[in-house]
């Protein structure tokens, strides 16, 4: 069974930093794109940053220059470094990965359990 397990998150003051991690556990799979989404109550989940298997990266405009996504393919892990945090970054952050089980032909979306990030003084 493949799972995405997140760590990090928490309460931070405006201007502070946090680092989120998300590791895929299990065996017998390959990972394509990975990314981070966030969601606040009553709103749609939105893409924050994505990274392809060959390292191409995209960010939503509001986090460019402040957040950095990276991945370690050997560890099946994706990271999100959040710097210069603002109150409007407060949300539950979810990691996402396109994963294919070995012996199958299709990739499916997997999601982490969610990590609360609260930016407040």
């Amino acid at each position: 069974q493949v799972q995405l397990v997140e760590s990090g998150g928490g309460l931070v003051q405006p201007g502070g930093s946090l680092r989120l991690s998300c590791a895929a556990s299990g065996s017998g799979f390959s990972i394509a794109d990975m990314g981070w989404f966030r969601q606040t109550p009553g709103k749609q989940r939105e893409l924050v940053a994505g990274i392809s298997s060959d390292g191409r990266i995209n960010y939503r405009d509001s986090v460019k220059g402040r957040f950095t996504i990276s991945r370690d393919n050997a560890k099946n892990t994706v990271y999100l470094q959040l710097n210069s945090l603002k109150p409007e970054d407060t949300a539950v952050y979810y990691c996402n990965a396109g994963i294919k089980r070995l012996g199958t032909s299709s990739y499916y979306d997997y999601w982490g359990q969610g990590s609360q990030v609260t930016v407040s003084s």
Side-chain angles (χ1 to χ4, degrees):
Q1 184 177 359
V2 180
Q3 286 186 312
L4 296 182
V5 180
E6 299 182 28
S7 60
L11 173 64
V12 64
Q13 293 187 340
S17 297
L18 285 173
R19 189 191 197 206
L20 304 179
S21 300
C22 173
S25 64
S27 61
F29 60 89
S30 61
I31 304 176
D33 295 348
M34 303 184 83
W36 290 93
F37 289 70
R38 67 186 180 188
Q39 190 170 24
T40 55
K43 292 191 175 181
Q44 296 264 20
R45 193 171 294 187
E46 62 184 23
L47 176 66
V48 176
I51 183 168
S52 68
S53 56
D54 60 357
R56 286 172 288 122
I57 291 173
N58 64 286
Y59 298 100
R60 71 181 301 106
D61 286 347
S62 61
V63 308
K64 285 180 180 177
R66 300 188 299 120
F67 292 7
T68 302
I69 189 171
S70 60
R71 65 189 284 175
D72 184 333
N73 291 330
K75 296 181 178 179
N76 294 321
T77 299
V78 62
Y79 306 95
L80 187 67
Q81 179 69 39
L82 301 81
N83 296 331
S84 302
L85 281 160
K86 304 175 180 180
E88 52 264 41
D89 295 316
T90 296
V92 178
Y93 285 70
Y94 296 91
C95 67
N96 169 266
I99 293 177
K100 181 176 69 127
R101 302 299 298 272
L102 294 183
T104 66
S105 59
S106 299
Y107 283 88
Y108 293 93
D109 272 337
Y110 283 72
W111 293 91
Q113 79 275 18
S115 298
Q116 178 68 48
V117 171
T118 302
V119 185
S120 174
S121 54

